Amino acid sequence: MGILENAFPEYVVFSQLDKAINWARENSISYLTMDLACCGVEMAQVAGGRFDIERFGAVAQVSPRHADLMIVAGTITYKMASRIRQLYEQMPHPRYVLSMGSCSNCGGMFSWEYSYSAVSGVDKLIPVDVFVPGCPPRPEALLHGLITLQRRIAGQRVLVRDELSVVRGANGNP
Ligand code: SF4
Protein backbone atom coordinates (compact mmCIF):
# COMPACT_ATOMS: atom_id res chain seq x y z
CA MET A 1 0.00 0.00 0.00
CA GLY A 2 3.03 2.34 0.27
CA ILE A 3 2.06 5.85 1.42
CA LEU A 4 -1.54 4.74 1.96
CA GLU A 5 -0.42 2.27 4.58
CA ASN A 6 -2.23 3.18 7.81
CA ALA A 7 -3.37 6.50 6.28
CA PHE A 8 -7.03 5.47 6.26
CA PRO A 9 -9.14 2.92 8.04
CA GLU A 10 -9.00 -0.32 6.06
CA TYR A 11 -12.63 -0.20 4.99
CA VAL A 12 -12.26 3.28 3.40
CA VAL A 13 -9.60 2.18 0.93
CA PHE A 14 -10.77 -1.29 0.09
CA SER A 15 -14.55 -1.06 0.11
CA GLN A 16 -14.62 1.09 -3.04
CA LEU A 17 -12.09 -1.11 -4.80
CA ASP A 18 -14.17 -4.13 -3.87
CA LYS A 19 -17.24 -2.57 -5.48
CA ALA A 20 -15.42 -1.80 -8.72
CA ILE A 21 -13.87 -5.26 -8.97
CA ASN A 22 -17.11 -7.00 -8.06
CA TRP A 23 -19.05 -4.96 -10.62
CA ALA A 24 -16.74 -6.33 -13.31
CA ARG A 25 -16.79 -9.87 -11.92
CA GLU A 26 -20.54 -10.19 -11.58
CA ASN A 27 -21.15 -8.92 -15.10
CA SER A 28 -18.58 -11.08 -16.87
CA ILE A 29 -19.30 -14.63 -15.76
CA SER A 30 -17.97 -17.45 -17.91
CA TYR A 31 -19.85 -20.67 -17.32
CA LEU A 32 -19.12 -24.31 -17.97
CA THR A 33 -22.15 -26.55 -18.46
CA MET A 34 -22.50 -30.07 -17.08
CA ASP A 35 -25.48 -31.34 -19.07
CA LEU A 36 -26.16 -34.70 -17.41
CA ALA A 37 -29.83 -35.46 -18.07
CA CYS A 38 -33.20 -33.91 -18.89
CA CYS A 39 -32.49 -30.68 -16.95
CA GLY A 40 -29.86 -30.00 -19.57
CA VAL A 41 -32.59 -29.47 -22.16
CA GLU A 42 -33.97 -26.58 -20.11
CA MET A 43 -30.48 -25.26 -19.41
CA ALA A 44 -29.72 -25.12 -23.14
CA GLN A 45 -32.67 -22.77 -23.66
CA VAL A 46 -31.00 -19.92 -21.79
CA ALA A 47 -28.35 -19.62 -24.47
CA GLY A 48 -30.97 -19.01 -27.17
CA GLY A 49 -32.53 -15.75 -28.28
CA ARG A 50 -35.69 -16.14 -26.19
CA PHE A 51 -34.00 -16.21 -22.78
CA ASP A 52 -30.63 -14.79 -23.85
CA ILE A 53 -28.38 -15.31 -20.83
CA GLU A 54 -25.71 -13.14 -22.45
CA ARG A 55 -27.71 -10.01 -21.60
CA PHE A 56 -26.68 -10.74 -17.99
CA GLY A 57 -23.04 -10.82 -19.02
CA ALA A 58 -22.70 -14.60 -18.89
CA VAL A 59 -21.06 -16.51 -21.74
CA ALA A 60 -20.48 -20.23 -22.20
CA GLN A 61 -17.00 -21.75 -22.16
CA VAL A 62 -15.90 -25.17 -23.30
CA SER A 63 -12.79 -25.32 -21.14
CA PRO A 64 -12.90 -25.39 -17.32
CA ARG A 65 -9.70 -23.36 -17.31
CA HIS A 66 -11.61 -20.41 -18.76
CA ALA A 67 -14.73 -20.77 -16.59
CA ASP A 68 -15.59 -19.28 -13.22
CA LEU A 69 -19.03 -20.88 -12.92
CA MET A 70 -20.01 -24.52 -13.31
CA ILE A 71 -23.71 -25.20 -13.94
CA VAL A 72 -24.56 -28.79 -13.00
CA ALA A 73 -27.87 -29.88 -14.53
CA GLY A 74 -29.18 -33.41 -14.24
CA THR A 75 -28.62 -36.78 -12.62
CA ILE A 76 -25.11 -37.41 -11.35
CA THR A 77 -24.11 -41.03 -11.75
CA TYR A 78 -21.20 -42.40 -9.76
CA LYS A 79 -19.35 -42.83 -13.04
CA MET A 80 -19.56 -39.07 -13.68
CA ALA A 81 -18.75 -38.01 -10.13
CA SER A 82 -14.97 -38.13 -10.45
CA ARG A 83 -15.16 -36.22 -13.78
CA ILE A 84 -17.19 -33.43 -12.20
CA ARG A 85 -14.71 -33.16 -9.35
CA GLN A 86 -11.78 -33.13 -11.77
CA LEU A 87 -13.30 -30.42 -13.97
CA TYR A 88 -14.10 -28.32 -10.89
CA GLU A 89 -10.51 -28.55 -9.72
CA GLN A 90 -9.33 -27.34 -13.13
CA MET A 91 -11.32 -24.10 -12.81
CA PRO A 92 -9.38 -21.03 -11.68
CA HIS A 93 -10.24 -19.11 -8.49
CA PRO A 94 -12.63 -17.61 -7.65
CA ARG A 95 -14.97 -20.34 -8.85
CA TYR A 96 -18.65 -20.95 -8.29
CA VAL A 97 -21.12 -23.79 -8.71
CA LEU A 98 -24.83 -23.59 -9.52
CA SER A 99 -26.87 -26.76 -9.04
CA MET A 100 -29.91 -26.95 -11.33
CA GLY A 101 -32.81 -29.30 -10.58
CA SER A 102 -33.77 -31.91 -7.98
CA CYS A 103 -31.36 -34.58 -9.23
CA SER A 104 -28.36 -32.31 -8.90
CA ASN A 105 -29.64 -30.76 -5.68
CA CYS A 106 -30.38 -33.94 -3.73
CA GLY A 107 -30.47 -36.94 -6.06
CA GLY A 108 -34.10 -36.39 -6.99
CA MET A 109 -36.19 -39.45 -7.78
CA PHE A 110 -33.10 -41.55 -8.43
CA SER A 111 -31.25 -41.15 -5.17
CA TRP A 112 -33.31 -39.57 -2.42
CA GLU A 113 -31.73 -41.79 0.25
CA TYR A 114 -29.67 -44.45 -1.45
CA SER A 115 -28.97 -45.56 -4.97
CA TYR A 116 -26.52 -48.00 -6.46
CA SER A 117 -25.94 -45.64 -9.37
CA ALA A 118 -26.69 -41.98 -8.56
CA VAL A 119 -25.10 -39.45 -6.19
CA SER A 120 -27.54 -37.77 -3.79
CA GLY A 121 -26.55 -34.22 -4.71
CA VAL A 122 -23.59 -32.48 -6.30
CA ASP A 123 -22.79 -30.86 -2.94
CA LYS A 124 -21.49 -34.29 -1.89
CA LEU A 125 -18.70 -33.76 -4.44
CA ILE A 126 -17.98 -30.03 -4.62
CA PRO A 127 -19.13 -26.85 -2.79
CA VAL A 128 -22.34 -25.38 -4.21
CA ASP A 129 -23.17 -21.66 -4.15
CA VAL A 130 -26.72 -21.63 -5.52
CA PHE A 131 -29.39 -24.35 -5.69
CA VAL A 132 -32.19 -23.96 -8.26
CA PRO A 133 -35.18 -26.17 -7.33
CA GLY A 134 -37.49 -27.95 -9.78
CA CYS A 135 -37.88 -31.05 -11.92
CA PRO A 136 -36.95 -29.56 -14.24
CA PRO A 137 -36.58 -25.88 -13.39
CA ARG A 138 -37.66 -23.59 -16.19
CA PRO A 139 -35.04 -21.43 -17.93
CA GLU A 140 -36.35 -18.40 -16.03
CA ALA A 141 -35.49 -20.18 -12.76
CA LEU A 142 -31.94 -20.74 -13.97
CA LEU A 143 -31.66 -17.05 -14.82
CA HIS A 144 -32.93 -16.24 -11.33
CA GLY A 145 -30.20 -18.49 -9.93
CA LEU A 146 -27.61 -16.61 -11.95
CA ILE A 147 -28.89 -13.27 -10.67
CA THR A 148 -28.77 -14.64 -7.11
CA LEU A 149 -25.13 -15.56 -7.63
CA GLN A 150 -24.39 -12.11 -9.07
CA ARG A 151 -25.84 -10.51 -5.94
CA ARG A 152 -23.65 -12.69 -3.78
CA ILE A 153 -20.59 -11.72 -5.80
CA ALA A 154 -21.52 -8.03 -5.49
CA GLY A 155 -21.52 -8.34 -1.71
CA GLN A 156 -18.22 -10.12 -1.44
CA ARG A 157 -15.06 -8.66 -0.08
CA VAL A 158 -12.36 -9.68 -2.50
CA LEU A 159 -9.29 -7.75 -1.40
CA VAL A 160 -7.46 -8.77 1.69
CA ARG A 161 -5.30 -6.04 3.24
CA ASP A 162 -1.97 -7.83 3.27
CA GLU A 163 -2.60 -10.15 0.34
CA LEU A 164 -3.97 -8.12 -2.54
CA SER A 165 -3.80 -11.09 -4.89
CA VAL A 166 -6.00 -13.31 -2.73
CA VAL A 167 -9.56 -13.53 -3.95
CA ARG A 168 -12.05 -15.74 -2.20
CA GLY A 169 -15.12 -17.40 -3.69
CA ALA A 170 -18.62 -17.29 -2.27
CA ASN A 171 -18.16 -20.82 -1.01
CA GLY A 172 -15.19 -19.74 1.10
CA ASN A 173 -12.53 -21.39 -1.02
CA PRO A 174 -9.43 -19.26 -1.55
S1 SF4 B 1 -34.53 -33.05 -11.82
FE1 SF4 B 1 -36.14 -33.97 -13.11
S2 SF4 B 1 -35.86 -33.02 -15.12
FE2 SF4 B 1 -33.96 -32.68 -13.97
S3 SF4 B 1 -32.60 -34.39 -14.51
FE3 SF4 B 1 -33.73 -34.98 -12.67
S4 SF4 B 1 -35.54 -36.13 -13.43
FE4 SF4 B 1 -34.69 -34.94 -15.16
Side-chain angles (χ1 to χ4, degrees):
M1 285 298 295
I3 61 172
L4 290 180
E5 186 72 46
N6 300 322
F8 303 100
E10 183 179 340
Y11 62 86
V12 172
V13 177
F14 290 109
S15 65
Q16 299 307 316
L17 272 175
D18 278 344
K19 286 179 184 174
I21 292 171
N22 285 341
W23 175 82
R25 291 174 59 227
E26 70 181 271
N27 291 296
S28 60
I29 291 176
S30 298
Y31 64 91
L32 178 73
T33 57
M34 295 300 299
D35 179 353
L36 303 171
C38 17
C39 271
V41 178
E42 297 295 315
M43 176 177 66
Q45 301 303 311
V46 299
R50 183 170 182 184
F51 296 101
D52 192 14
I53 195 172
E54 288 192 22
R55 66 196 152 118
F56 297 99
V59 293
Q61 295 289 344
V62 294
S63 168
R65 299 186 192 282
H66 299 157
D68 41 29
L69 169 64
M70 175 186 281
I71 301 176
V72 183
T75 318
I76 303 163
T77 60
Y78 284 116
K79 191 171 185 178
M80 283 299 294
S82 61
R83 278 71 167 180
I84 292 173
R85 178 79 199 181
Q86 186 175 17
L87 288 168
Y88 174 77
E89 289 174 350
Q90 290 175 350
M91 292 168 62
H93 295 281
R95 55 196 178 187
Y96 306 95
V97 176
L98 185 152
S99 173
M100 178 183 183
S102 300
C103 284
S104 180
N105 290 349
C106 63
M109 68 175 86
F110 300 105
S111 181
W112 172 245
E113 289 187 348
Y114 173 76
S115 166
Y116 71 93
S117 61
V119 179
S120 57
V122 69
D123 60 329
K124 306 295 186 297
L125 307 173
I126 53 179
V128 175
D129 299 282
V130 177
F131 293 90
V132 177
C135 179
R138 284 189 51 81
E140 295 95 325
L142 177 55
L143 293 178
H144 184 267
L146 175 71
I147 293 168
T148 302
L149 178 63
Q150 288 176 318
R151 287 177 178 159
R152 290 190 62 174
I153 293 173
Q156 283 187 309
R157 185 168 180 204
V158 294
L159 294 174
V160 179
R161 186 177 177 83
D162 296 323
E163 295 179 77
L164 292 178
S165 61
V166 173
V167 180
R168 291 184 182 277
N171 52 34
N173 285 344

